Amino acid sequence: MPNHGDWQFSIYLEGLTGVRPRLPMSYAELERRAQEVMTEEVWSYVAGGAGDERTQRANVTAFDRWGLVPRVLSGAAQRDLSVELFGTRLPTPLLLAPVGVIGICDRDGHGDLLTARAAASSGVPMVASTLTQDPLEQVAAELGGTPGWFQLYPPNDRELTESLVARAEAAGWSAIVVTLDTLTLGWRPRDLAIASFPQLRGLCLANYFSDPVFRSRLAAPPEEDPQAATGLWAALFGNQALNWDDLAWLRSLTRLPLLLKGICHPDDARRAVDAGVDGIWCSTHGGRQANGGLPALDCLPRVVDAVADDVPVVFDSGVRSGPDVAKALALGAAAVAVGRPYAYGMAVGGQAGVEHVLRCLLAELDLTLAVDGYPGVGSLRPDALVRLDR
């Protein structure tokens, strides 16, 4: 299998005949192009964060405080980017993070299906949000042989939660990721300024509107009275005040690997593992939910140290480049999820845009390893980094 970085040579060769890349090659240009094509409402939702967005920015700049130490004569002509998660060998350490409006980042409104197809094409697993434009069964059917995980926002209705998990397992999703930091919506001034919350318009609610338990709570089907269905969703979403005693119930719902997303404190990580959780997801929701906190990258090493070596810690928040991925892996992440970059890729180029973003990230990660002398992601450990702000 060729190195991912070899892709750059095909770009240079095409340049000899006057062909230049149609899609952006830098994150800054990708973001600029996405803003041009997204509606104001979708742009606000995806680009925005909580409060004055200080934590959102901190998630990004936290990577600047670490430098990768170059090594030489290490035999890095060929690089192995593969990782193992829950007994499955994946070709790369990337995951497509759950994005609750990815469905409407596509101009035709089927971004979840396109993301699944991009996952199938690239081998990068998709973590599908509970908030999709197309039902989870249809999204899973597009994954081909690539694994997919289902992210769950537990509603304030246990029977509905149980139904969503059962549907995900039956549809072939291979893990359940429970998001813990969305008991309620964070303070998001961008969305508030334009009085926009897409789900209250009935968008990205296909998993609820198609669910038999949810439908049984309605006087009329969502197709006949979408306003009432949306109102019921609003009453149920984000009001499930989970506590540690509920973990046994969540664990009992599925035989699939169970991960908890939003864990940033080592004590919480230990307690989760003690309760039977299979994986930890260290995240600050990209700075979208709470402002004034730590960047997730600063939390990652302590969370990793708190759990056993056989408990994988997934990481997201602020990842914008291949070196960012390398640094998160060196600090102990078993896999790294990207969110905003591929949402922008979807807006700019649909499925091809998502695949392009993944190709750029993997090429830059691969070339970073090559130039700095690391033969694979398995050789990235804490001693590969030096803290720059001490």
Side-chain angles (χ1 to χ4, degrees), residues 115-175:
T115 300
R117 292 168 192 161
S121 173
S122 65
V124 174
M126 173 190 187
V127 186
S129 174
T130 310
L131 301 170
T132 59
Q133 272 288 87
D134 292 286
L136 62 90
E137 291 85 358
Q138 294 179 23
V139 179
E142 300 291 338
L143 287 169
T146 299
W149 299 355
F150 180 72
Q151 174 268 333
L152 175 70
Y153 287 119
N156 189 22
D157 182 323
R158 285 205 167 195
E159 190 179 357
L160 177 56
T161 298
E162 292 165 3
S163 180
L164 289 168
V165 172
R167 288 173 60 195
E169 187 165 354
W173 297 96
S174 57

Side-chain angles (χ1 to χ4, degrees), residues 180-209:
L180 302 175
D181 60 4
T182 315
L183 170 64
T184 186
L185 290 178
W187 180 255
R188 301 176 186 173
R190 292 202 205 199
D191 293 339
L192 290 164
I194 59 174
S196 173
F197 187 59
Q199 287 78 14
L200 290 180
R201 299 180 181 180
L203 298 170
C204 306
L205 300 183
N207 287 327
Y208 298 90
F209 290 1

Side-chain angles (χ1 to χ4, degrees), residues 12-177:
Y12 290 133
L13 288 173
E14 289 180 344
L16 297 176
T17 61
V19 176
R20 295 184 178 185
R22 180 179 62 86
L23 295 167
M25 299 303 299
S26 71
Y27 178 79
E29 178 63 12
L30 177 71
E31 185 177 42
R32 186 190 69 77
R33 292 263 297 272
Q35 185 175 10
E36 289 179 350
V37 298
M38 283 175 155
T39 66
E40 181 184 21
E41 292 79 11
V42 176
W43 169 257
S44 172
Y45 191 95
V46 175
D52 66 1
E53 301 179 354
R54 185 173 302 177
T55 297
Q56 179 172 309
R57 293 189 297 274
N59 275 318
V60 176
T61 59
F63 290 93
D64 296 338
R65 295 197 291 270
W66 293 98
L68 193 62
V69 181
R71 305 301 302 270
V72 297
L73 300 176
S74 57
Q78 299 294 319
R79 281 81 60 191
D80 180 8
L81 302 191
S82 67
V83 298
E84 185 169 313
L85 285 175
F86 306 120
T88 299
R89 175 62 59 173
L90 301 174
T92 83
L94 291 186
L95 301 173
L96 290 158
V99 176
V101 292
I102 198 65
I104 57 174
C105 288
D106 166 48
R107 65 192 66 188
D108 294 325
H110 294 288
D112 300 289
L113 298 179
L114 297 183
T115 300
R117 292 168 192 161
S121 173
S122 65
V124 174
M126 173 190 187
V127 186
S129 174
T130 310
L131 301 170
T132 59
Q133 272 288 87
D134 292 286
L136 62 90
E137 291 85 358
Q138 294 179 23
V139 179
E142 300 291 338
L143 287 169
T146 299
W149 299 355
F150 180 72
Q151 174 268 333
L152 175 70
Y153 287 119
N156 189 22
D157 182 323
R158 285 205 167 195
E159 190 179 357
L160 177 56
T161 298
E162 292 165 3
S163 180
L164 289 168
V165 172
R167 288 173 60 195
E169 187 165 354
W173 297 96
S174 57
I176 303 295
V177 180

Side-chain angles (χ1 to χ4, degrees), residues 1-7 9 77-81 91-92 362 366:
M1 180 177 177
N3 294 316
H4 287 274
D6 293 346
W7 173 54
F9 296 119
Q78 299 294 319
R79 281 81 60 191
D80 180 8
L81 302 191
T92 83
L362 290 170
D366 181 48

Side-chain angles (χ1 to χ4, degrees), residues 11 154 170 224 230 243 256 287 290 303 311 369:
I11 297 175
E224 297 178 13
T230 301
N243 58 52
L256 297 176
V303 169
V311 177
L369 296 181

